[in-house]
Amino acid sequence: MSRSERLLDLLQVLRRHRRPVSGGVLAEEIGVNIRTLYRDIASLQAQGAAIEGEPGVGYVLKPGFLLPPLMFPPEEIEALVLGSRWVADRGDDHLRDAARSALARIAAVLPPELRDALDASALLVGPGVKLPVDSVDPALLRKAIRTERKLSLSYCDGAGKGSERVVWPFALAFFDQVRVLLGWCELRQDFRSFRTDRIIHAQALDTRYPKRRQALLKQWREIQGISHRDG
């Protein structure tokens, strides 16, 4: 393991501990001796990591800390590039721009050699089936999900039958050919999925739905028999 990878691992270990943890425990988890651990902590602090503590007391990483300019393992670089390229190709305009912006931000804090590796990544996203055009801005749907707001929908099903729904949106699923909004439907009193290209009109209501988004998603996963590892 390179030193940069070790420093990244140390940050991840510190993230898992919400209370001060001793240097001995950290050293054991990282697989280094205590002197190396102290040097690594000093290096991270010098790079701007908000690590508080001292020998004999323990160390803690302050909440909200952003990664300093560290090296990522090659596989993580490839995953970031491939994921951002897929989103840029298959997401809507707002997500496409956000993916490119996020990758640029990551590149800005990488050492030069890894920045070159990011630019030269050979993992490509092949052309997919053209997605149907949405009448409703997907950004509105995503915002309703984030803020846990009810949505008033005018929806047309596959048979061409229209309906008015009030739904509690909790997820947006991306498939090769369509995007699907997942929500609890007040009309059907059950979970329903709505193809975004069949949503004729959508309006975010001021009313928050009564359950938390994560609770709805968990319940839907259980009903569908989907584990967290499945997606």
Side-chain angles (χ1 to χ4, degrees):
M1 179 187 296
S2 68
R3 181 172 181 272
S4 58
E5 291 176 322
R6 191 176 72 240
L7 292 179
L8 184 58
D9 282 351
L10 176 55
L11 270 182
Q12 300 304 332
V13 170
L14 283 166
R15 285 181 187 279
R16 295 199 298 267
H17 294 278
R18 297 186 177 182
R19 296 183 179 181
V21 57
S22 70
V25 171
L26 291 172
E28 183 177 354
E29 289 197 41
I30 299 300
V32 297
N33 60 49
I34 194 67
R35 289 187 178 181
T36 299
L37 185 279
Y38 290 150
R39 287 198 300 268
D40 287 349
I41 288 178
S43 295
L44 288 173
Q45 290 172 329
Q47 294 183 61
I51 300 173
E52 296 182 347
E54 59 185 69
V57 176
Y59 298 90
V60 64
L61 181 67
K62 293 182 65 176
F65 171 69
L66 300 178
L67 283 176
L70 286 174
M71 296 178 73
F72 288 88
E75 291 80 7
E76 291 185 1
I77 289 288
E78 291 177 340
L80 289 169
V81 173
L82 183 61
S84 67
R85 287 176 177 172
W86 189 93
V87 171
D89 181 70
R90 307 303 290 168
D92 57 81
D93 291 346
H94 296 289
L95 279 183
R96 178 199 64 206
D97 294 342
R100 291 173 177 170
S101 175
L103 201 59
R105 287 174 181 268
I106 293 171
V109 298
L110 287 176
E113 64 273 17
L114 275 190
R115 195 175 306 133
D116 293 340
L118 184 147
D119 293 336
S121 174
L123 300 185
L124 306 176
V125 176
V129 177
K130 187 176 181 179
L131 289 168
V133 177
D134 290 335
S135 299
V136 174
D137 187 352
L140 183 150
L141 306 180
R142 292 197 300 273
K143 183 177 180 180
I145 292 170
R146 288 196 304 270
T147 57
E148 300 180 340
R149 291 294 190 274
K150 293 184 179 183
L151 277 174
S152 174
L153 300 182
S154 296
Y155 189 73
C156 184
D157 64 19
K161 183 179 179 181
S163 61
E164 300 295 323
R165 313 284 188 102
V166 173
V167 302
W168 308 351
F170 60 85
L172 195 61
F174 291 75
F175 296 91
D176 288 338
Q177 300 183 24
V178 294
R179 289 185 283 260
V180 176
L181 177 71
L182 303 176
W184 173 268
C185 177
E186 292 188 354
L187 177 65
R188 303 302 184 195
Q189 286 295 295
D190 201 355
F191 291 106
R192 286 292 186 269
S193 59
F194 305 91
R195 282 180 46 163
T196 59
D197 60 302
R198 293 177 179 169
I199 298 175
I200 309 303
H201 176 76
Q203 179 181 357
L205 305 179
D206 292 334
T207 309
R208 292 189 62 165
Y209 47 76
K211 290 188 177 182
R212 298 310 305 267
R213 172 169 53 88
Q214 289 299 325
L216 289 171
L217 179 58
K218 180 180 179 182
Q219 185 180 354
W220 176 82
R221 286 179 182 274
E222 290 173 349
I223 292 173
Q224 298 295 322
I226 299 174
S227 69
H228 286 282
R229 292 183 179 180
D230 296 329

